[in-house]
Amino acid sequence: MAAVQSRKWMILIATIWIQAFTGTNFDFSSYSSTLKSVLGISQVQLNYLSVASDMGKAFGWCSGVFLMYFPLWVVMFMAAFFGFFGYALQWLVIKQVISMPYFLVFLLCLVAGCSITWFNTVCFVLCIRNFPTNRALALSLTISFNGVSAALYTLIANAINPEDDTLYLFLNALVPLLASCIALVPVLRQPPLQLLSTNTINRDSFIFIMLNVLAVITGLYLLLLNSLSSEALRARTLLLGALILLFLPLCLPGIACDRNWGFLSNSSLDDPNDLELHEELIEKDQNNSLNIEPFSGTNKEGFFDKVMEKGRLKMLGEEHSARSLVCHSDFWLYYLAYFCGGTIGLVYSNNLGQIAQSLGYDSKIGTVVTLYSSFSFFGRLLSAAPDFLHGKVNFARTGWLAVALVPTPVAFFLLAASGSEAALHTSTALIALSSGFVFSAAVSITSELFGPNSAGINHNILITNIPIGSLLYGLLAALVYDSNLKSSIKENVLQEAMVCMGRDCYMHTFISWGCISLLGLISSFLLFLRTGPAYDDYETNQSRTEVL
């Protein structure tokens, strides 16, 4: 029994390592200016390259299909190979070892983006298979570490050569492959699924608390000390400390298993057994109350209340096929909230290099990228709050989503009002915190609203908004950027690249993005109003079950 539990936690740690070193899209801003100069392309063309990377997410369903026919470790190494192929050739292009037309570089970015999505699918499956009771906690913890990838890559690059921006592409190609090799043994030795005792569930909850505390320490370490890594020797020392923090989780499960601690477990909304029981209770409740108030209350309410009731989600955990999903009003509110909230934060991160450069903070690009990475990490960790606070603060997860989207429009309007370094840092932190929460919470929300068994397919439908948003928002930013080149041109003599300088390069973009994110906030609030009763019914029936 102890050996089986140990293997389960080894898989979680391996998943953390995979996520920590495969968020390669987050460091695009670190080398995008150099790539633009080498290829001699415009800002619009550069935007298309970032869109290509995000388009890889549209092929996430392919990894699910492959998992039906191939073992998990095969899909993991296929993802590693895609990344190695896509990034290694880009590195040769940016080092001017080989020459490629723009279209082939676009395809390489697409292949590299596909790699990231396939890695994510592998990690989702590992968490769902091995932690059915604490699925939401496992997902939020592991997905969180994807947010520190940019900070880790900055440390590694600075430890080798702080002056070489092209190193990021080389590391993007090699490091995920090495991480896959390290994670291979735990993935191959997955334990069989077994029923857990109450003591085991209590102990697991305590281990998750300790792992989250350690994750916060890791995030603070990378955030506060990364600015000191501009020199190679310091960077190597800091990198060693970061690697030690990443290996420390190996010790916690063993310590907890050897001690006889008893803690109250946090009930997980994603427990499949509980979901089935609660669904039966809700159905009985609905059948018993059909003659009481099926529509009478709605008829007495105003137009707004009627609209909010029409087609509203009645029960959590009910399975929705892809066809019924796209016909559901709640899904499109959810899609719009993600599209105008989380995705716009990702596009902002893709443009961070040019934003900092246009404001005159060329030397601060690495710092700003690390800041975004670290706060995205904290936002992802915060997505576990509904599970840790369950029983103390009963608030719908869709309500947490609405609260998490509040900082994004505030940040964009702050950037439009001020071009100071403090405004850039503050806004970057707020946007990263918000989008990080959305990225991590979305998997659990999809599972709760539209069924855990269909989450793999349904979530891939949801994230089709990422390449669409990346194209539209990025194109808007690029067109505004290029239109301001005539009034503010700085010619780089060495690379012959045209760079827009001044606040006007992005000010109108920030205003537009701020208005769009407001739309996302409104959509999330409407989603909360429509789904709140389903969450309330769940809590009511859960309390009734505990009494029985």
Side-chain angles (χ1 to χ4, degrees), residues 1-2 75 81 87 94 101 218 240 263-264 268 281 397 448 457 498:
M1 179 67 179
V75 177
F81 173 75
Y87 285 118
I94 203 172
T218 304
L240 178 61
F263 289 86
L264 292 175
S268 173
L281 287 171
R397 203 182 297 268
E448 292 170 0
I457 296 175
M498 308 304 281

Side-chain angles (χ1 to χ4, degrees), residues 46 105 141 155 256 273 278 300 302 353 401 413 472:
L46 181 66
V105 177
L141 177 66
L155 273 180
N273 295 326
H278 297 323
K300 296 179 182 179
L401 176 69
F413 291 134
L472 296 179

Side-chain angles (χ1 to χ4, degrees), residues 450-517:
F450 307 111
N453 296 329
S454 307
I457 296 175
N458 292 343
H459 192 68
N460 278 318
I461 295 175
L462 171 70
I463 63 175
T464 56
N465 77 83
I466 293 179
I468 297 172
S470 181
L471 173 62
L472 296 179
Y473 303 147
L475 183 60
L476 169 66
L479 290 174
V480 173
Y481 184 96
D482 283 344
S483 69
N484 284 283
L485 275 173
K486 296 179 181 179
S487 59
S488 175
I489 293 179
K490 176 184 177 183
E491 184 172 346
N492 187 316
V493 179
L494 294 179
Q495 283 86 17
E496 298 181 355
M498 308 304 281
V499 179
C500 179
M501 299 298 295
R503 286 184 56 206
D504 289 342
C505 301
Y506 279 96
M507 186 174 68
H508 291 95
T509 299
F510 292 146
I511 294 173
S512 301
W513 284 356
C515 294
I516 292 170
S517 58

Side-chain angles (χ1 to χ4, degrees), residues 28 31-41 46 49 90 94:
F28 179 78
Y31 61 86
S32 58
S33 296
T34 305
L35 185 63
K36 177 183 176 183
S37 299
V38 170
L39 295 177
I41 57 179
L46 181 66
L49 295 184
Q90 287 185 68
I94 203 172

Side-chain angles (χ1 to χ4, degrees), residues 16 20 62 71 78 165 167 185 236-237 253 271 275 351 398 443 529:
I16 287 174
C62 297
M78 288 178 68
D165 292 338
L167 270 174
V185 174
R236 291 165 191 164
T237 304
D271 185 352
L275 270 174
N351 284 268
T398 49
V443 182
L529 292 180

Side-chain angles (χ1 to χ4, degrees), residues 257-329:
C257 289
D258 289 339
R259 305 287 294 237
N260 188 20
W261 283 315
F263 289 86
L264 292 175
S265 64
N266 292 314
S267 300
S268 173
L269 191 59
D270 287 328
D271 185 352
N273 295 326
D274 285 346
L275 270 174
E276 292 176 2
L277 176 61
H278 297 323
E279 287 173 15
E280 292 174 4
L281 287 171
I282 293 172
E283 288 172 352
K284 290 178 181 178
D285 237 17
Q286 290 174 338
N287 292 333
N288 292 336
S289 60
L290 283 176
N291 298 324
I292 300 175
E293 48 171 8
F295 295 103
S296 58
T298 305
N299 293 332
K300 296 179 182 179
E301 294 169 347
F303 174 77
F304 177 78
D305 295 312
K306 290 181 180 179
V307 171
M308 294 304 296
E309 282 292 323
K310 186 177 181 180
R312 181 175 62 82
L313 188 76
K314 300 297 183 182
M315 180 175 61
L316 294 183
E318 183 179 4
E319 297 295 338
H320 288 71
S321 65
R323 179 175 296 180
S324 65
L325 182 78
V326 297
C327 297
H328 209 293
S329 302

Side-chain angles (χ1 to χ4, degrees), residues 11 35-36 50 54 105 156 202 214 238 274 300 320 324 369 384 398 404 421 438 446 476 500 517 523 543 545:
I11 288 173
L35 185 63
K36 177 183 176 183
S50 67
D54 292 331
V105 177
I156 300 172
N202 293 342
L214 186 56
L238 293 173
D274 285 346
K300 296 179 182 179
H320 288 71
S324 65
V369 170
T398 49
E421 185 176 349
V438 174
T446 304
L476 169 66
C500 179
S517 58
S523 299
S543 300
T545 304

